[in-house]
Amino acid sequence: SLEITFLGTGSAYPSPARGASALVLRREGQCWLFDCGEGTQTQLMRSHLRAARITKIFITHLHGDHFFGLPGLLCTLSLQSNPDGSKPPVDIYGPVGLRSFLWRSLELSHSELLFPYAVHELVPTRDQCPAEEFKDFSGWDRDEALPQGPPGRVLHLDPGENSYLLVEDEQLVLRAFRLFHRVPSFGFVLEEKPRPGKLNVQKLKDLG
């Protein structure tokens, strides 16, 4: 089963009555968070959801009202968890530049997370925003040694599918698609795979 909870639908900044962009998809006991604007963790506390169940986070674009809440949320999750080296990492997906932002934010604030995380960066194309707004963040940390930086994949556009394959299992496929915005932006599409019925069709035909 799938359940969607809107934690924030406001833009630019949070308000007392309306949080910045964030929503949660809950499936099979896991929570997938889409965008993480300021105040997302407060909105989570007001909801029926458990933040500790967040296993994947997807960031649409690097405007502050869509991801400024992420470092704080990760730190709160760490405070509520126990060290566990065997725990699978929290997977974070977003445009190129997100890995550097998170690593630097956590380093500058001396924040050490008690759980692993991985940042998977989507490489945008130059036609996703006005030419004067496009900035190439791919080389920011190229000349620096980042022994403690988070692992993760670099995801390029699949020309055949015109999308980025992010997650696939037996039940669903989740892809990112390019959107046009003031900065490179992505939309996420979750598609359930066909579920064959449990009836034995041949036996029904044999029985008339």
Side-chain angles (χ1 to χ4, degrees), residues 24-76:
V24 170
L25 171 72
R26 187 168 66 169
R27 66 180 291 257
E28 297 184 347
Q30 296 184 18
C31 290
W32 293 2
L33 176 64
F34 292 81
D35 277 343
C36 188
E38 271 186 277
T40 294
Q41 56 180 316
T42 304
Q43 295 293 89
L44 276 166
M45 295 173 190
R46 293 173 175 168
S47 74
H48 63 285
L49 302 168
R50 291 183 57 192
R53 294 194 179 275
I54 294 174
T55 58
K56 298 185 187 304
I57 300 172
F58 303 87
I59 302 298
T60 57
H61 63 290
L62 300 184
H63 272 156
D65 55 335
H66 290 258
F67 79 116
F68 276 172
L70 189 50
L73 174 64
L74 294 177
C75 290
T76 296

Side-chain angles (χ1 to χ4, degrees), residues 25 27 30-36 51-60 70 73-74 77 87-95 98-99 102 113 115-122 150-155 165-169 174 188:
L25 171 72
R27 66 180 291 257
Q30 296 184 18
C31 290
W32 293 2
L33 176 64
F34 292 81
D35 277 343
C36 188
R53 294 194 179 275
I54 294 174
T55 58
K56 298 185 187 304
I57 300 172
F58 303 87
I59 302 298
T60 57
L70 189 50
L73 174 64
L74 294 177
L77 292 178
K87 184 178 180 181
V90 173
D91 288 307
I92 303 172
Y93 298 82
L98 185 59
R99 178 184 288 114
L102 275 178
L113 303 184
F115 59 86
Y117 74 102
V119 181
H120 311 290
E121 293 187 307
L122 284 66
R153 296 177 291 154
V154 176
L155 304 170
L165 177 62
L166 306 187
V167 179
E168 182 173 13
D169 60 27
L174 191 145
F188 301 104

